[in-house]
Amino acid sequence: VKSEGPKLVPFFKATCVYFVLWLPTSSPSWFSALIKCLPIFCLWVFLLAHGINFLVSHRSASRILAGLIFSAVGDAFLIWQEQGYFIHGLLMFAITHILYSSAFGMKPLDLKAGLLMGLVCSSCYAFLYSYLSGPFTYLVAVYIALIGFMGWRAVAGMQLCNDLWTWTKLSACIGAMLFMVSDLTIALNKFCFPVPYSRFIIMATYYAAQMLIALSAVESRDEEDFRKRS
């Protein structure tokens, strides 16, 4: 908290600005896009504050930064989703999940966690299926598969039973779960039925998820510092 907390102050301030201004979604503009993306820009700065050499030498951190960049582009597209840019935003976030999955890695494999995540995602898609039509029938299926895979890789890194987890692995796991809650709320609200307080739920879980995933990128730096102190 002492080492990383101060670097996150701009993010918290930008998030507060978004919720205080609460610009109407019925009037999309470049200003509203800027306000929505500002917390994600602050997470770019948070990672860059650890140094370019850190990002270059640690692929997981650089991939999370790349994921945050695509997320910001996706956020901008979703500002104009009613004008036909929802699929563009969906594509940007699909790329984000691929980058995050790559950052979390494939070790340990943990097939049990993968099976559980597969069942959860399959159940979600089975519920959404009857509400989907046209290209969304398969686009949503692919997207759910990608975010489910990302969630699996984040959960697999925990290894609670083996006592091998770290606080950064925990933040990645919680962040991935919150990301899934945010996206599920979007899907329910867009395709199925109005969700009460949907925008608040979507954005609160989304910003928290992105912050926690960004925090998970500093793990390799913490390990280096520990080895130096040892």
Side-chain angles (χ1 to χ4, degrees):
V1 173
K2 290 182 179 179
S3 62
E4 304 300 335
K7 300 186 186 76
L8 285 170
V9 169
F11 166 80
F12 289 118
K13 288 183 177 179
T15 302
C16 289
V17 167
Y18 173 84
F19 285 108
V20 168
L21 292 181
W22 204 243
L23 298 171
T25 56
S26 58
S27 304
S29 66
W30 285 108
F31 179 69
S32 59
L34 174 63
I35 295 301
K36 184 181 181 183
C37 295
L38 193 58
I40 306 303
F41 294 158
C42 292
L43 292 178
W44 297 3
V45 176
F46 166 75
L47 289 180
L48 290 170
H50 290 83
I52 298 298
N53 290 336
F54 168 72
L55 293 172
V56 171
S57 58
H58 298 93
R59 292 182 179 179
S60 61
S62 60
R63 288 168 184 170
I64 288 175
L65 176 60
L68 288 169
I69 293 172
F70 278 99
S71 293
V73 177
D75 282 332
F77 276 130
L78 291 181
I79 288 288
W80 286 277
Q81 61 177 293
E82 299 303 325
Q83 285 72 35
Y85 288 95
F86 182 80
I87 291 179
H88 299 72
L90 199 69
L91 175 61
M92 293 299 103
F93 280 107
I95 296 172
T96 295
H97 297 317
I98 292 171
L99 288 165
Y100 286 169
S101 299
S102 178
F104 298 150
M106 291 301 297
K107 295 180 180 180
L109 193 59
D110 197 347
L111 293 177
K112 290 182 179 179
L115 178 60
L116 178 60
M117 193 62 64
L119 290 173
V120 170
C121 291
S122 298
S123 299
C124 290
Y125 182 70
F127 178 82
L128 292 170
Y129 181 78
S130 60
Y131 295 94
L132 302 174
S133 60
F136 285 114
T137 303
Y138 58 86
L139 288 176
V140 171
V142 172
Y143 186 86
I144 288 177
L146 289 174
I147 195 172
F149 186 82
M150 185 272 290
W152 170 33
R153 297 323 310 148
V155 171
M158 283 291 295
Q159 299 188 78
L160 288 173
C161 296
N162 297 328
D163 199 26
L164 295 174
W165 65 279
T166 62
W167 70 269
T168 46
K169 282 183 168 53
L170 178 63
S171 69
C173 180
I174 297 175
M177 295 302 100
L178 288 175
F179 216 134
M180 295 177 73
V181 170
S182 179
D183 282 356
L184 178 59
T185 307
I186 291 176
L188 291 174
N189 191 65
K190 183 174 181 64
F191 300 114
C192 304
F193 48 79
V195 177
Y197 307 106
S198 60
R199 185 181 173 194
F200 177 81
I201 296 171
I202 290 165
M203 297 311 299
T205 53
Y206 170 69
Y207 286 141
Q210 293 283 40
M211 179 197 71
L212 290 168
I213 290 173
L215 270 172
S216 73
V218 304
E219 177 176 22
S220 47
R221 184 186 180 95
D222 290 344
E223 289 174 348
E224 282 182 355
D225 293 342
F226 177 79
R227 284 196 297 268
K228 288 177 182 178
R229 289 195 297 269
S230 300

